[in-house]
């Protein structure tokens, strides 16, 4: 019975792949010409070409007897926005190739976190694939929420930017696949930067340079550096690149909090001065400020802004040096969205196939036109891609020099405490010393629980 | 005579001011919703250009229709049940002739339910619905809305019932009316304005329910309007204010329709003349 | 003898009617609340964390932790401040609105006004928050533009320590005063017209009529409004979470926002349950006056 089913599946899989590969070839021939002359309009042709390639790679997989699917429905819990949109665009192709249906649940970050956790307590899980933020990794794996992908025959390949894979493993088993390369960048207004003699993003090479631009903007009656002060999480994330540049971090190798160290204090003092050149604004305002030239700089995500030659703002990677020529650190903070399969998924094998499919080199390349940011060299250093989206060079640099937020199960509490005390410091409710000492003692208590 | 004119124009001014303050944010939603997104950066008091793109993409791309349907079903069913049960319970609690030693305890308990933060209920209820296997239906949401509205309806209507003199009922009883007839034919019509008002309020809280839905809703097919609205607002992307505004306007429509409908009902209740003499 | 028998049947019928009427609502409420309540109380004495498999009894530790936590104590202060101002103004504004509409004698105008004035209350909180955020934005917000044009000072409303909480209170008043208006207006309809006529014959002024007829006439509903608004203001969450996230410097962190950050988001439901219980007790104390009167 089982044998029959598997044979049928393999056959149907091969058939599907064969048919697709067959029609793909004629498209493929037309592809290069089409992509050359479509500069700004979303080029469909390269996507078609890569689909064909993907079909070939899956047809190989099907010969290995791994393609399964008998019309069941996979439920995906995804982060709403571009992240989910990119995946949704790939699903119809997956559905037809693997004879499966899919259903997508789009959630905000907090809701996604708690929903996946809530569902983990059920023996029959509702979700087959979930987007996971790197900072949830420890909490999820410690409590068996996720399925070890390596046990189901999936391993990450070398094409993926190595720094993005560091948190994906636990006890030598792979749990997550870095899917969407989200990383902090420095958003700046071109004119206000040029006024301070920084006419290209490459010249902004240190925190000093950032400060100079902010000061010059402030002297001109504009806002200098703008940060997000609305939630503890945002407060912390916007500050981390500065902290990293000073060689500091929030925990040491034994997961003990290190927020009351010299590096941390220096970084905090600098940040307070930097922030004094501007003000706290909510995300949409920050972008509008920098875009309209009311503010000079801010820490942001590439998804916020699409710079071109004509736009008033641009972004660059944060170099991680305090002064020009000084020691550089990995200073860009990851907000990479990874893919994982809940351990209680009802369709584990097929779900892992979906991860494989979505992580496929060519499928990932095809997502770029819809706003995807693969953590892959083959995508981000692709000449065609860079010709159309030059900003991916910066994104690639930022991803290479990126750092995940700490992989500790208490991270939610950790950033809430730290962000709250930082808010007190930045709003002059406490001195830097008081605030950091308070944060340190609370965090020590938290980590010892 | 002159005093009358001054009084009237003051009234007019006050009314206009009240209306402007109340309606401007909604008008602003409209201005944002009908303009192409390029226009939103430089605000102007009236729309400089019109487009229906935001509304079209809301239904075509963001699939707003399914949540709309779910919200209507959940709201109407929960409203029906909570009104029927709430009115009945309030009537019994309000009338001294239905004496019962549990009564003050029950009143107190209902008030507690109304006071308790939803936080205290969501997680255990989730486990309960999960065990009964109803989590994949709209049932948990309907029950959640009943849970929210029932205590409010009881407390609200209680005041109305208590204001009605019991003598009316007593005299009807002497005329041979049964309790059931009394309740349906005499008491309920007298509190119609109250019912209309409380129905409006319950409709609103069911329509806007977010706290429970975010825990109970398991599948995109069961999304409600507030969930769909929240999904449009994401921290890592630029907020599409046009889309959000369009969604906000649409989310208001059924409630507005309901209010207009209930408003007429309220008038009917008033003009029945039993309350106002 | 005969008369007694009739009374017995009547009271039997009455009891049956009362049971039939009251049983379904109370059974539903019991099932929907007793079970979760018991668990919430139990959880509050444990270290229950959703993902952790082991749950340990920790006694009063959660409660002690809450009461020794400066943020939690601060959040109680913020919540009380928010509640006092919001409820006070909502009831006052709602009352004035109701009086105003009541004073309009043209049926048509009053009817239209009633619907239009209710509109703010008809919007979902998410929409309210987003609409105000758009209007108050320091960059593209119409309010700061207008203030600038009028040469008035502008603020970064939600990020300024001094304006964030007042702004949240203002938005809450804007949204909920119509709720009070609706209830009070409905209540005013039940005040008999004859009382006003009698007062007018005695030469009572408008203010006197309001003071001695309207207010006593709607007193129970007025109290109910205040209570309902107190309860809802006390657990204010969605607008805070969407507009300020509790910042700047915790100045807008209400109790629910605190519990969300330290008891829900991190899935520490044991701790969160203890907070929910404390919050309930505070509201109970606050509304005990009303309860005493109502439960009589």
């Amino acid at each position: 019975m089982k044998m029959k089913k598997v044979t049928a599946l393999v056959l149907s899989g091969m058939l599907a792949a064969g048919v697709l590969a067959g029609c793909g070839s004629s498209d493929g021939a037309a592809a290069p010409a089409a992509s050359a002359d479509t500069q700004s309009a979303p080029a469909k042709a390269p996507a078609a070409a890569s689909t064909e390639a993907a079909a070939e790679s899956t047809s190989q997989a099907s010969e290995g007897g791994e393609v399964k699917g008998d019309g069941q429905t996979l439920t995906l819990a995804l982060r709403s926005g571009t992240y989910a949109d990119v995946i949704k665009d790939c699903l119809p192709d997956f559905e037809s190739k693997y004879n499966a249906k899919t259903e997508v649940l789009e959630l905000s970050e907090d809701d996604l976190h708690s929903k996946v956790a809530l569902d983990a307590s059920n023996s029959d899980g509702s979700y087959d694939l979930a987007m996971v933020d790197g900072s949830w990794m420890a909490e999820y794996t410690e409590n068996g929420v996720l399925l070890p992908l390596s046990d189901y025959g999936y391993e990450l390949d070398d094409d993926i930017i190595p720094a993005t894979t560091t948190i994906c493993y636990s006890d030598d088993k792979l749990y997550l696949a870095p899917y969407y390369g989200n990383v902090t960048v420095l958003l700046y207004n071109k004119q206000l930067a040029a006024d301070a003699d920084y006419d290209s993003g490459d010249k902004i090479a240190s925190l000093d340079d950032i400060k100079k631009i902010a000061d010059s903007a402030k002297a001109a009656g504009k806002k200098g550096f703008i940060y997000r002060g609305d939630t503890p999480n945002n407060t912390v994330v916007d500050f981390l690149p500065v902290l990293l540049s000073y060689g500091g971090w929030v925990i040491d190798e034994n997961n003990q909090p290190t927020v009351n160290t010299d590096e941390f204090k220096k970084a905090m003092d600098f940040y307070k001065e930097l922030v004094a050149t501007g003000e706290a604004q909510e995300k949409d305002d920050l972008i509008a400020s920098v875009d309209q030239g009311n503010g000079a700089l801010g820490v942001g995500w590439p998804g916020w802004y699409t710079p071109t030659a004509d736009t008033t703002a641009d972004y660059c990677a944060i170099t991680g040096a305090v002064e020009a020529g000084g020691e550089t650190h990995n200073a860009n903070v990851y907000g990479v969205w990874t893919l994982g399969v809940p351990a209680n998924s009802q369709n584990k094998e097929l779900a892992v196939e979906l991860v494989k499919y979505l992580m496929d080199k060519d499928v990932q390349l095809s997502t770029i036109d819809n706003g995807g940011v693969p953590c892959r060299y083959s995508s981000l250093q692709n000449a065609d891609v860079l010709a159309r989206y030059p900003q991916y060079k910066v994104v690639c640099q930022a991803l290479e020099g990126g750092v995940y937020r700490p992989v500790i199960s208490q991270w939610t509490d950790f950033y809430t405490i730290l962000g709250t005390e930082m808010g007190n410091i930045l709003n002059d409710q406490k001195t830097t010393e008081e605030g950091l000492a308070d944060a340190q003692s609370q965090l020590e208590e938290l980590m010892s629980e | 005579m002159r005093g009358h004119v001054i009084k009237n124009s003051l009234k007019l001014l006050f009314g206009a001011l009240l209306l402007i303050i109340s309606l401007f944010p909604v008008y602003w939603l409209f201005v944002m919703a009908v303009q192409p997104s390029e226009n939103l950066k430089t605000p102007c008091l009236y729309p400089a250009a019109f487009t229906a793109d935001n509304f079209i993409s809301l239904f075509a791309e963001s699939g707003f229709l399914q949540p709309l349907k779910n919200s209507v079903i959940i709201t109407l069913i929960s409203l029906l049940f909570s009104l029927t049960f709430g009115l009945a319970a309030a009537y019994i609690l309000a009338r001294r002739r239905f004496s019962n030693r549990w009564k003050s305890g029950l009143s107190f308990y209902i008030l507690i339910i109304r006071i308790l933060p939803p936080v205290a209920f969501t997680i255990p209820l989730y486990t309960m619905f999960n065990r009964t296997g109803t989590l994949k239906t709209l049932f948990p949401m309907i029950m959640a809305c009943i849970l929210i509205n029932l205590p409010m309806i009881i407390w609200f209507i209680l005041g109305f019932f208590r204001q009605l003199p019991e003598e009316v009922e007593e005299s009807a009883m002497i005329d041979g009316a049964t309790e059931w007839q009394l309740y349906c034919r005499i008491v309920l019509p007298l509190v119609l304005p109250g019912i209309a008002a409380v129905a409006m309020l319950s409709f609103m809280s069911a329509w806007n329910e977010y706290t429970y839905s975010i825990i109970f809703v398991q599948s995109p097919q069961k999304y409600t309007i507030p969930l769909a609205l929240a999904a449009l607002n994401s921290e890592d992307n630029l907020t599409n204010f046009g889309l959000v505004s369009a969604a906000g306007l649409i989310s208001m429509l059924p409630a507005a329709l309901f209010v207009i409908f209930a408003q007429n009902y309220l008038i009917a209740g008033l003009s029945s003349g039993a309350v106002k003499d | 003898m005969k008369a007694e028998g009739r009374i017995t049947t009547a009271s039997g019928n009455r009891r049956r009617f009362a049971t039939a009427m009251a049983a379904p609502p109370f059974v539903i409420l019991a099932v929907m609340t007793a079970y979760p309540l018991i668990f919430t109380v139990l959880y509050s004495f444990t270290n229950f964390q959703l993902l952790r498999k082991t749950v340990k009894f920790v006694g009063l530790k959660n409660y002690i932790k809450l009461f020794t936590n400066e943020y939690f104590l601060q959040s109680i202060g913020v919540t009380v401040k928010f509640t006092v101002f919001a409820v006070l103004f909502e009831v006052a504004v709602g009352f004035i609105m109701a009086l105003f509409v009541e004073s309009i004698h043209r049926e048509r105008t009053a009817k239209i006004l009633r619907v239009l004035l209710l509109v703010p209350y008809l919007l979902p909180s998410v929409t309210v928050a987003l609409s105000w955020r758009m209007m108050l934005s320091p960059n593209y917000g119409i309010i700061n533009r207008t203030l600038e044009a009028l040469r008035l000072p502008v603020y970064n409303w939600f990020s300024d320590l001094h304006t964030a909480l007042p702004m949240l209170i203002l938005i809450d008043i804007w949204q909920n005063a119509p709720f009070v208006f609706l209830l009070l207006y409905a209540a005013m309809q039940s005040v008999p017209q004859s009382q006003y006529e009698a007062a007018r014959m005695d030469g009572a002024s408008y203010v006197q009529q309001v003071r001695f007829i309207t207010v006593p006439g709607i007193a129970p509903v007025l109290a109910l409004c205040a209570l309902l608004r107190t309860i809802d203001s006390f657990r204010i969450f969605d607008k805070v979470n969407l507009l300020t996230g509790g910042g700047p410097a915790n100045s807008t962190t209400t109790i629910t926002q605190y519990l969300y950050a330290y008891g829900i988001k991190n899935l520490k439901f044991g701790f969160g349950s203890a907070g929910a219980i404390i919050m309930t007790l505070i509201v109970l104390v606050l509304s005990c006056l009303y309860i005493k009167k109502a439960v009589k």
Side-chain angles (χ1 to χ4, degrees), chain B residues 45 52 74 119-120 220 260 268:
Chain B
L45 273 178
I74 291 170
V119 175
I260 292 166

Side-chain angles (χ1 to χ4, degrees), chain A residues 194-272:
Chain A
D195 289 348
D197 293 326
Y198 292 91
D199 48 14
S200 108
D202 296 339
K203 288 197 182 166
I204 308 174
S206 67
L207 293 182
D208 261 3
D209 297 329
I210 294 174
K211 183 79 190 335
K212 275 179 197 152
I213 298 172
D215 283 338
S216 132
K218 194 180 184 208
K222 305 280 186 185
K223 302 264 188 286
F225 182 85
I226 296 169
Y227 75 106
R228 291 177 299 160
D230 47 357
T231 64
N233 188 25
N234 290 345
T235 313
V236 171
V237 167
D238 284 8
F239 168 68
L240 288 180
V242 172
L243 177 63
L244 286 161
S245 300
Y246 271 92
W249 192 229
V250 289
I251 50 167
D252 62 17
E253 58 277 10
N254 299 320
N255 286 347
Q256 284 310 300
T258 55
V259 303
N260 203 14
T261 58
D262 282 346
E263 292 87 9
F264 205 106
K265 271 185 206 148
K266 271 188 216 154
M268 196 67 221
D269 284 332
F270 169 82
Y271 194 61
K272 210 177 161 184

